[in-house]
Amino acid sequence: MNIHQQVVRELAVRILSGVLRPGDILPTEDNASTEMDVSRTAYREAIKVLSAKGLLESRAKVGTRVRQKSEWNMLDPEILGWKSEIETPSKFVDDLFEFRMIIEPAAARLAARKGSPEKIDKIRHAFETMANTEMSSVENFEADFDFHKSILEASENELLSSLGHVVETLLLTSFELSALRPGAREQSVPLHGAVLAQIQNRDQDKARDAMTTLLASARTDLDDVLQNDIHETTILKKADPDDTSTRAGGNRSPN
């Protein structure tokens, strides 16, 4: 990270971890830049970035204050990544799967009802790549991302389609944890296949239920890992959302 990115991340982590609380006033630009040993320009630009993400607001005669949590853009990929670093794994997994359980079964149902043949074919292609490539290969993990994103796109709902980058960030957390559970990959592929089959059959309810089953299985895998292999103090190393070199690497298992 360059200096500007480091300042953005450090301030964001202070806010998300509660060191800086909603309503707190940040130090003046001069004091803050001196304390962080950065230029006033770098600090000022960091404030602009975090203001755009809803974490901060600047007002004349008041200064820069931390906004209320309800105003934070929690679907921002960088905010999700920072949260995954500072929260205990179990807390982030809870939020992750509650979100996915709301979004992805509904998207699968819509894909079965409204998905064009071309978009359903993209889902099929992603699944076939998953099923026929080495489990630890980059191609395999990219295919799993593409499978879930293609379902969002096939929903023909622009709001759901726009969540692709969010689902990708959440999937990375799943992969980091589920990789620690042997056999997760073998269970995951046929469950993905069941989702595809029901979308192709245009059975809306069964497509929704198949996605729910897939996510429930992934949640079970992660719960087993959290209970047996990962201490609550573990901090997951998350990649920069813009760093495509870490999108699909390492020894992870798709979910």
Side-chain angles (χ1 to χ4, degrees):
M1 293 185 291
N2 59 35
I3 296 297
H4 164 67
Q5 292 170 327
Q6 292 177 33
V7 176
V8 169
R9 184 188 180 283
E10 183 172 343
L11 287 175
V13 168
R14 290 182 187 182
I15 295 169
L16 295 171
S17 64
V19 174
L20 292 172
R21 300 181 179 183
D24 283 355
I25 303 293
L26 271 62
T28 64
E29 188 175 286
D30 285 341
N31 291 340
S33 59
T34 298
E35 182 257 322
M36 300 181 76
D37 193 23
V38 296
S39 68
R40 294 176 58 185
T41 300
Y43 181 78
R44 188 183 308 122
E45 290 303 312
I47 295 299
K48 290 181 180 179
V49 170
L50 296 180
S51 295
K53 295 179 184 295
L55 298 180
L56 297 173
E57 64 178 350
S58 298
R59 293 183 178 179
K61 299 182 180 180
V62 175
T64 301
R65 77 167 70 232
V66 180
R67 301 181 72 176
Q68 297 301 311
K69 286 186 177 181
S70 60
E71 298 174 310
W72 298 355
N73 181 9
M74 299 308 299
L75 296 184
D76 181 274
E78 286 189 306
I79 291 181
L80 285 171
W82 295 323
K83 277 180 62 64
S84 74
E85 293 178 8
I86 63 178
E87 287 189 345
T88 59
S90 61
K91 174 62 170 70
F92 192 73
V93 166
D94 283 342
D95 289 348
L96 182 159
F97 273 94
E98 286 173 356
F99 181 85
R100 292 186 67 188
M101 276 291 194
I102 292 170
I103 298 300
E104 294 192 69
R109 190 179 193 281
L110 288 173
R113 178 163 68 91
K114 302 197 300 182
S116 66
E118 293 77 16
K119 290 183 179 178
I120 292 178
D121 192 58
K122 285 183 63 178
I123 303 171
R124 179 191 58 77
H125 177 73
F127 171 73
E128 290 178 350
T129 302
M130 283 181 59
N132 295 295
T133 54
E134 178 65 30
M135 70 174 67
S136 60
S137 68
V138 170
E139 186 180 11
N140 186 278
F141 295 116
E142 293 284 356
D144 200 350
F145 286 130
D146 290 342
F147 180 89
H148 289 274
K149 286 182 176 181
S150 295
I151 289 175
L152 293 175
E153 293 172 2
S155 73
E156 302 293 351
N157 182 296
E158 291 184 352
L159 296 178
L160 286 176
S161 297
S162 70
L163 294 175
H165 67 283
V166 177
V167 171
E168 178 174 350
T169 303
L170 300 181
L171 281 170
L172 282 171
T173 299
S174 294
F175 295 167
E176 291 283 355
L177 291 171
S178 64
L180 301 177
R181 185 178 187 276
R185 172 69 170 87
E186 288 73 12
Q187 297 175 13
S188 176
V189 172
L191 293 176
H192 282 76
V195 175
L196 169 63
Q198 299 307 331
I199 291 176
Q200 289 179 318
N201 291 339
R202 300 291 185 175
D203 193 318
Q204 301 173 49
D205 292 340
K206 288 185 178 180
R208 176 199 59 208
D209 294 345
M211 179 61 80
T212 299
T213 298
L214 168 60
L215 296 178
S217 176
R219 178 60 196 264
T220 297
D221 291 343
L222 297 191
D223 283 345
D224 287 346
V225 169
L226 291 172
Q227 291 172 11
N228 299 319
D229 298 290
I230 294 183
H231 297 294
E232 284 296 311
T233 55
T234 297
I235 298 178
L236 298 178
K237 179 182 179 183
K238 303 306 295 179
D240 185 319
D242 294 326
D243 183 1
T244 56
S245 67
T246 56
R247 284 186 66 214
N251 191 21
R252 301 169 181 157
S253 294
N255 285 291

